[in-house]
Amino acid sequence: MDEPSSRSPAESATNRIHPRVRIVWAIKWLLVGVVAAIVGTVVLSDSSLERPLLTVAAASPVAGIPLAVVRYRRFRYAITDDGVYVRRGLVTVNETVVPAASIQQVDVDEPLLARPFGLVSVRLYTAGTFGGRVAIPGLDSDTAADLADRLDRLARGESGV
């Protein structure tokens, strides 16, 4: 006889985002380094902040690539008749549960940096919280369209999604 699982749906979530999202997240860290280098050398030259900004510029790509990989490995999501479960985090693991009845709007966004890699994000806007939104980044367009359709049906109370 099977025992009930003590794991939450977010822990058991098997849906992964697209692996190319690691490249997008690493590029964001590279851009932080580029901006820090420009500000440190051009704007704040001969300032006490120049050296710390150049340190950030050098450390950003070194830290950003492993962080992008860890972030990707930790991100999972699941869609059930009860709602949406998202598990994410770098140092601390964050689990978000969005009950189906709370979903008010579903958007598919094309972030600028993700667009060349063919990736989009699905955003859920929820009722009852200030700024209540949950994002599932790094999806290919077809997966995102299917997911948005399933979430829309879920929000309308249709079962079997």
Side-chain angles (χ1 to χ4, degrees), residues 6 33 42 46 72-73 77 87-89 107 120 125-126 128 135 137 142 159-160:
S6 62
V42 175
D46 299 329
Y72 167 76
R73 287 183 179 166
Y77 69 95
R87 183 176 169 89
R88 65 192 179 284
D107 288 342
V120 298
Y125 295 88
T126 62
D142 292 337
S159 62

Side-chain angles (χ1 to χ4, degrees), residues 83-84 98-107 123-134 148 151-157:
V84 179
V98 180
S102 295
I103 299 171
Q104 289 192 329
Q105 181 178 335
V106 179
D107 288 342
R123 293 192 187 279
L124 306 174
Y125 295 88
T126 62
T129 58
F130 176 74
R133 64 181 169 209
V134 174
L151 292 170
D152 184 52
R153 286 185 281 133
L154 182 67
R156 287 185 277 134

Side-chain angles (χ1 to χ4, degrees), residues 106-124:
V106 179
D107 288 342
V108 177
D109 298 330
E110 290 185 56
L112 180 64
L113 288 177
R115 198 173 302 151
F117 299 95
L119 300 177
V120 298
S121 296
V122 172
R123 293 192 187 279
L124 306 174

Side-chain angles (χ1 to χ4, degrees), residues 5-16 73-80 82-89 93-98 134 136:
S5 174
S6 62
R7 295 172 54 139
S8 73
E11 285 180 306
S12 304
T14 57
N15 295 316
R16 299 199 62 165
R73 287 183 179 166
R74 296 252 175 106
F75 199 103
R76 302 275 190 282
Y77 69 95
I79 312 298
T80 69
D82 297 326
V84 179
Y85 303 88
V86 177
R87 183 176 169 89
R88 65 192 179 284
V93 176
N94 186 347
E95 291 185 10
T96 302
V97 179
V98 180
V134 174
I136 302 174

Side-chain angles (χ1 to χ4, degrees), residues 1-87:
M1 185 175 209
D2 291 334
E3 292 184 28
S5 174
S6 62
R7 295 172 54 139
S8 73
E11 285 180 306
S12 304
T14 57
N15 295 316
R16 299 199 62 165
I17 54 181
H18 200 284
R20 284 191 304 245
V21 76
R22 295 175 293 187
I23 298 168
V24 174
W25 290 338
I27 289 172
K28 285 182 181 181
W29 280 98
L30 289 171
L31 289 175
V32 167
V34 168
V35 169
I38 291 170
V39 170
T41 56
V42 175
V43 178
L44 296 174
S45 61
D46 299 329
S47 168
S48 63
L49 295 176
E50 180 181 16
R51 178 163 286 176
L53 280 173
L54 292 177
T55 303
V56 168
S60 291
V62 173
I65 293 169
L67 289 174
V69 170
V70 170
R71 184 178 176 193
Y72 167 76
R73 287 183 179 166
R74 296 252 175 106
F75 199 103
R76 302 275 190 282
Y77 69 95
I79 312 298
T80 69
D81 285 343
D82 297 326
V84 179
Y85 303 88
V86 177
R87 183 176 169 89

